[in-house]
Amino acid sequence: MLCSQVTFAQNFLEGGRVSGNFQLDAQVYRADSAIGAYEVDEKMLMNAFANLLYSNGNFNAGLRFETYLNPIQGYDPRYKGSGVPYWFGSWRNEQFEITVGNFYEQFGSGMILRSYEERNLGYDNAFKGAKVRFSPADGVTLKGLIGTQRFFWEQGPGIVRGLDGEFALNDIFDKEGNCKTRVTLGGSFVSKYQQTEELYAGPDTLLILPANVASYAVRANVTRGKFALDGEYAGKMNDPSFTNNFIYKNGHSLLLQASFSTKGLGIIASAKRTDNMSYKSRRTESGSFLDINYLPALTRQHAYSLSAMYPYATQPNGEMALQGQVNYKIKRGSLIGGKYGTDIAVNYSRITSIKKETAEGESKIGKSGTAGYKSPFLAFGDELYFQDFNIEIQRKFTNSFKALISYIYQDYNVLILEGYEEPMVNAHIVIADATYRFDNKQALKMEYQQLITKQDEGDWLQVLAEYTFAPKWYFTLADQYNYGNSDKDKKLHYPTVSAGYTNGSNRLMISYGKQREGIICVGGVCRNVPASNGLSLTLTSTF
């Protein structure tokens, strides 16, 4: 028996493959009272992780080791420590895939279930439990899961159960491909369980909070030639929580997107309505953790620093959102398009409140222990949350020189999005970005950004120069200057110098300088970044 076990282990290991990746982020801090950077007792803070994956035929297993000693500023201090919060084993064949341990999953667009990791935000709501994926026939995919969610080094108290089905009708009924229209339908059901609680919302108001809260969603995707249409509707049973002030109101969300594409032209239009759709596995959680679902933000995700200074965070208690984008390429060889053509992108998004009316028999909107409010389904509210109009033009002038210019106008509701009693920010942003290649290895990138506003901290200017010596080196000099601040003591520069070295799958980046306080967002989920002054280092490796 011993010999047979040793032989099995050898065969199993010989046929397997090990892969993974590693990342370390470290910062050395200096106190800087001018920019609001405070003393850090440890002087240096560090986040690091390593993923290891073993695969052998139909079997996969992996783990992730994480260490935060102590967490970099801007990350939740509850991450402090080291351990293995993520591990899994999975097996699959032609029909089944079974996973136990930790895993990520998404149903449809994620409006009733999405678990994911976003390391830049310090966010991870991975499930710990089991999931099954079953494909009984061509075009049919069924998924089921049960688990709890990661909450730093522990698990949240709620149990999440989910079922999802997706049906590609053409693969089921038109296997020969005669129909030019392709249709895919899907549906999901999710339920969370947390032990029933009693909560006093006032001296005479005792709330009985439900143990089980169910949600559901239906979706469809239709494509024909150059056209595509996507839609998903999600509903949620009454779910009194900290986020909605413990009201007993059902929630819903509707997401629609239509697109058209042809050579040189692409058009996308999207619309979303969200009402009372915060869905967490712990009802008293006040932060962005333990979210079961994900509500995408219908705004452009800007890549430049000043255009991303006022990012939008999704409002689960109610929003009406519209977004449209047109991409057009002016033909090569034309008078305006030039030798290589010119790309133009125009994007517009607008997000407002939903219209709310007092619930029957109530005198106040959103009172704890009541139905909360009524809201006509297609009615926009009067309050503007966010508005963004931007136009971007890119052109390659020669084989060595290309440039980009962009104009952005934004309205940003500080009270709603940050919780401060401040006026609406109206910002004009101009960006110019040019790159010149000296040869196949050397290039110089120059960047100019300017933000003009009478509100908040006033006008900003950023300049950047980056020299690249491919494939190993780059060097960057940058400065942000808050020249329009009404407080002369806060008209400050934020200079930064950085360098990077790449060798194969290994990359080292070092920077030194100042970082202003602000907010960073990814997909409508945000975190605050405190002001800092010091040295930063990032090391990544893949094997």
Side-chain angles (χ1 to χ4, degrees):
M1 291 175 60
L2 179 62
C3 291
S4 64
Q5 290 176 0
V6 171
T7 301
F8 172 78
Q10 289 177 339
N11 292 337
F12 186 71
L13 292 174
E14 287 175 0
R17 178 177 179 271
V18 177
S19 60
N21 66 306
F22 167 84
Q23 180 171 323
L24 181 146
D25 297 291
Q27 286 190 232
V28 179
Y29 294 88
R30 292 180 53 201
D32 189 334
S33 59
I35 65 173
Y38 301 104
E39 186 75 29
V40 174
D41 293 337
E42 303 93 322
K43 299 300 182 184
M44 187 180 87
L45 302 176
M46 181 270 294
N47 300 349
F49 72 91
N51 286 303
L52 293 175
L53 176 66
Y54 174 78
S55 57
N56 191 332
N58 292 339
F59 177 78
N60 289 278
L63 60 84
R64 181 170 67 240
F65 175 82
E66 298 180 12
T67 179
Y68 304 86
L69 298 173
N70 283 331
I72 289 174
Q73 285 192 331
Y75 286 77
D76 197 297
R78 287 174 287 183
Y79 276 116
K80 178 181 177 180
S82 303
V84 181
Y86 186 90
W87 60 268
F88 75 94
S90 70
W91 177 86
R92 60 183 172 84
N93 62 15
E94 293 181 355
Q95 289 188 323
F96 279 96
E97 181 178 352
I98 302 171
T99 302
V100 296
N102 299 99
F103 55 87
Y104 299 104
E105 186 54 78
Q106 177 171 327
F107 292 170
S109 63
M111 291 199 296
I112 65 169
L113 186 140
R114 184 191 182 198
S115 62
Y116 67 104
E117 178 196 23
E118 181 51 64
R119 190 155 295 274
N120 290 332
L121 298 178
Y123 184 81
D124 187 355
N125 66 341
F127 287 115
K128 184 176 184 179
K131 72 170 180 176
V132 177
R133 179 188 178 98
F134 178 43
S135 300
D138 291 342
V140 179
T141 302
L142 306 175
K143 295 186 285 189
L145 63 86
I146 183 169
T148 58
Q149 291 183 284
R150 179 181 179 182
F151 189 63
F152 304 103
W153 296 106
E154 301 175 353
Q155 296 299 119
I159 299 173
V160 180
R161 297 152 293 192
L163 295 172
D164 181 80
E166 187 164 281
F167 308 91
L169 301 189
N170 297 72
D171 295 337
I172 299 172
F173 302 109
D174 183 33
K175 296 182 179 181
E176 296 181 358
N178 295 321
C179 183
K180 295 181 179 180
T181 302
R182 296 193 61 85
V183 179
T184 302
L185 304 178
S188 309
F189 176 84
V190 176
S191 174
K192 69 147 183 179
Y193 168 81
Q194 185 186 355
Q195 187 175 358
T196 300
E197 286 184 275
E198 294 182 352
L199 178 72
Y200 280 97
D204 301 317
T205 306
L206 176 64
L207 305 182
I208 308 299
L209 305 180
N212 293 283
V213 176
S215 64
Y216 60 92
V218 292
R219 62 185 184 271
N221 169 262
V222 181
T223 61
R224 183 180 178 90
K226 302 173 182 178
F227 295 90
L229 178 65
D230 289 276
E232 182 167 2
Y233 174 83
K236 178 173 68 74
M237 302 306 176
N238 68 86
D239 183 17
S241 68
F242 178 89
T243 304
N244 65 13
N245 197 35
F246 296 98
I247 62 173
Y248 292 79
K249 182 184 186 302
N250 294 341
H252 72 260
S253 188
L254 175 66
L255 177 64
L256 297 173
Q257 179 173 288
S259 64
F260 169 82
S261 63
T262 188
K263 185 177 181 180
L265 176 66
I267 302 173
I268 300 175
S270 306
K272 185 183 71 168
R273 173 183 167 84
T274 297
D275 181 7
N276 192 32
M277 275 299 290
S278 174
Y279 197 26
K280 295 178 178 289
S281 56
R282 182 166 71 183
R283 59 180 71 93
T284 55
E285 175 61 30
S286 58
S288 61
F289 299 95
L290 295 178
D291 284 325
I292 300 172
N293 65 338
Y294 170 79
L295 302 171
L298 290 193
T299 59
R300 181 176 178 183
Q301 303 300 304
H302 291 285
Y304 291 90
S305 298
L306 295 188
S307 60
M309 181 175 284
Y310 297 110
Y312 182 73
T314 302
Q315 301 300 299
N317 285 339
E319 64 177 27
M320 294 284 281
L322 297 171
Q323 182 179 216
Q325 177 157 329
V326 177
N327 297 312
Y328 181 69
K329 185 177 184 68
I330 302 176
K331 292 182 179 181
R332 297 181 180 185
S334 64
L335 179 63
I336 301 176
K339 181 179 179 180
Y340 297 95
T342 300
D343 295 309
I344 301 175
V346 180
N347 178 281
Y348 175 75
S349 58
R350 179 181 175 87
I351 304 174
T352 71
S353 61
I354 59 175
K355 186 175 181 180
K356 295 182 179 181
E357 303 171 348
T358 54
E360 187 174 348
E362 300 294 336
S363 59
K364 182 180 179 181
I365 292 175
K367 181 180 178 182
S368 299
T370 70
Y373 54 87
K374 297 187 299 182
S375 180
F377 190 79
L378 296 178
F380 285 78
D382 296 328
E383 188 168 15
L384 177 65
Y385 289 169
F386 184 81
Q387 185 170 231
D388 184 327
F389 170 80
N390 56 83
I391 180 169
E392 181 178 282
I393 302 173
Q394 296 188 62
R395 182 168 178 176
K396 184 177 178 181
F397 291 87
T398 69
N399 195 41
S400 301
F401 180 69
K402 63 179 181 179
L404 173 151
I405 58 171
S406 179
Y407 167 76
I408 301 108
Y409 173 78
Q410 293 177 342
D411 292 314
Y412 180 85
N413 192 321
V414 182
L415 176 61
I416 294 297
L417 300 176
E418 297 187 30
Y420 301 107
E421 280 281 0
E422 297 289 342
M424 175 85 73
V425 173
N426 314 118
H428 300 267
I429 305 157
V430 177
I431 297 168
D433 183 341
T435 301
Y436 182 79
R437 284 175 40 193
F438 298 98
D439 52 38
N440 290 334
K441 289 188 175 182
Q442 300 181 78
L444 178 65
K445 172 186 171 72
M446 303 292 290
E447 191 178 292
Y448 173 91
Q449 301 180 47
Q450 186 171 13
L451 183 150
I452 301 171
T453 180
K454 296 179 180 179
Q455 296 81 34
D456 197 27
E457 297 177 323
D459 304 333
W460 288 81
L461 178 69
Q462 175 171 318
V463 292
L464 177 147
E466 181 175 284
Y467 171 73
T468 301
F469 191 83
K472 295 185 180 297
W473 294 96
Y474 81 85
F475 304 91
T476 303
L477 291 172
D479 184 29
Q480 280 189 0
Y481 178 35
N482 191 193
Y483 71 93
N485 201 309
S486 58
D487 185 345
K488 64 179 182 179
D489 293 330
K490 294 184 178 180
K491 291 186 176 183
L492 302 171
H493 287 270
Y494 294 79
T496 302
V497 56
S498 59
Y501 173 76
T502 302
N503 187 358
S505 61
N506 304 308
R507 188 178 190 189
L508 175 65
M509 295 173 285
I510 300 176
S511 65
Y512 182 81
K514 300 182 180 183
Q515 166 69 51
R516 66 172 181 84
E517 181 183 11
I519 295 175
I520 62 171
C521 295
V522 177
V525 180
C526 306
R527 76 172 175 95
N528 185 66
V529 178
S532 64
N533 183 355
L535 179 72
S536 299
L537 179 148
T538 296
L539 175 63
T540 61
S541 181
T542 302
F543 58 90

